Amino acid sequence: MSFDEEMHSSFECRVFSFDPYVEDKKFKDLRDSDPSLNDSSILKVDDRWIFYRVGIIGQTNNTKDLSNLKIKDLISFDEILDLTKLRDKVIDVLKMDIEGPEKDVIKNLDMNYACKYIKAFVFETHVRSKFADLVKLEKCFRLFWRHTRFREGNTRGPTGHLAGFQNPEDWALKMKNFHNELNLAEFMFTNGELYFVNINFI
């Protein structure tokens, strides 16, 4: 069961899902059931779950017409708030796994707004992410949990390796790739799944 499905079925949350490129079978079946939805960027699963076939980007040069979004359009977090009508409303969990651009989304995130309205921020980082990119989150967020995806028992060596989708060439972790222990520590802290909680809601 996906995170979105779990939130929807087990906790009865209102869920707003976004993915410009991948469409789950649940959404494909919904689209196939009604020909008028073939080119629609918005699919309503039920009263508590809406899927948007669009993605998030750090900053857009031109404001999108939110009433006429096309499949695979990329919009900013501010535009997502307007699209979902969640502006100035508390968001229990903001989850993001966008394969790289999370660095730019965080860079453009209004921390005053985030500290007031986002309870938890969960995201996956990739090679481009650095510790400096995450420092701004300390205004009100604290790291609650992280998972760097190291694997034990790898035949290439005792230190394990990183999952292939994070490192397409599936290279083993080697100390020579890092200038010093601080570089290695930064890599281990900033690459993987990070779960931050907002201390204003604790």
Side-chain angles (χ1 to χ4, degrees):
M1 181 178 291
S2 71
F3 176 85
D4 303 46
E5 289 176 309
E6 185 75 19
M7 292 297 100
H8 175 263
S9 61
S10 299
F11 299 97
E12 299 186 352
C13 294
R14 292 177 64 204
V15 178
F16 301 88
S17 304
F18 291 80
D19 198 317
Y21 306 116
V22 179
E23 193 164 88
D24 186 83
K25 185 179 183 301
K26 177 188 295 291
F27 307 129
K28 288 180 180 178
D29 290 344
L30 184 60
R31 195 181 295 280
D32 292 342
S33 70
D34 184 350
S36 68
L37 298 175
N38 284 346
D39 299 317
S40 176
S41 61
I42 303 174
L43 299 176
K44 185 175 181 180
V45 179
D46 57 35
D47 290 337
R48 290 188 290 105
W49 192 358
I50 299 178
F51 171 71
Y52 299 85
R53 187 73 186 273
V54 299
I56 189 172
I57 194 171
Q59 192 171 27
T60 53
N61 295 326
N62 301 308
T63 302
K64 296 283 187 182
D65 178 1
L66 299 183
S67 65
N68 191 32
L69 286 175
K70 296 178 176 57
I71 289 176
K72 296 185 181 180
D73 272 349
L74 299 177
I75 59 179
S76 68
F77 178 64
D78 272 350
E79 289 171 320
I80 284 177
L81 291 175
D82 291 332
L83 178 65
T84 57
K85 295 181 173 56
L86 288 176
R87 184 172 295 281
D88 297 335
K89 294 182 180 178
V90 172
I91 296 173
D92 289 310
V93 182
L94 173 62
K95 185 175 185 294
M96 182 171 64
D97 181 2
I98 55 177
E99 305 304 323
E102 66 278 345
K103 175 176 181 175
D104 298 320
V105 173
I106 293 172
K107 177 181 178 181
N108 288 280
L109 185 64
D110 180 344
M111 287 308 301
N112 289 327
Y113 185 91
C115 289
K116 187 175 182 180
Y117 292 108
I118 300 174
K119 287 185 176 181
F121 189 16
V122 183
F123 56 94
E124 181 179 291
T125 60
H126 299 79
V127 176
R128 289 182 62 226
S129 297
K130 302 295 182 184
F131 180 77
D133 303 325
L134 307 179
V135 170
K136 67 180 293 184
L137 297 178
E138 291 188 347
K139 181 177 178 68
C140 63
F141 289 96
R142 299 294 182 268
L143 183 65
F144 175 74
W145 182 84
R146 70 178 173 87
H147 180 39
T148 52
R149 289 203 179 91
F150 285 99
R151 299 290 188 264
E152 296 181 357
N154 178 29
T155 56
R156 298 185 186 209
T159 57
H161 68 286
L162 296 176
F165 66 84
Q166 280 194 270
N167 296 277
E169 297 178 3
D170 196 25
W171 41 263
L173 182 66
K174 298 177 181 178
M175 282 302 298
K176 69 179 184 180
N177 293 327
F178 305 95
H179 297 296
N180 52 48
E181 290 183 357
L182 286 178
N183 290 145
L184 175 61
E186 178 181 44
F187 177 84
M188 293 181 66
F189 177 79
T190 60
N191 283 263
E193 296 175 354
L194 306 178
Y195 189 149
F196 286 87
V197 294
N198 189 334
I199 60 176
N200 293 329
F201 289 93
I202 296 176

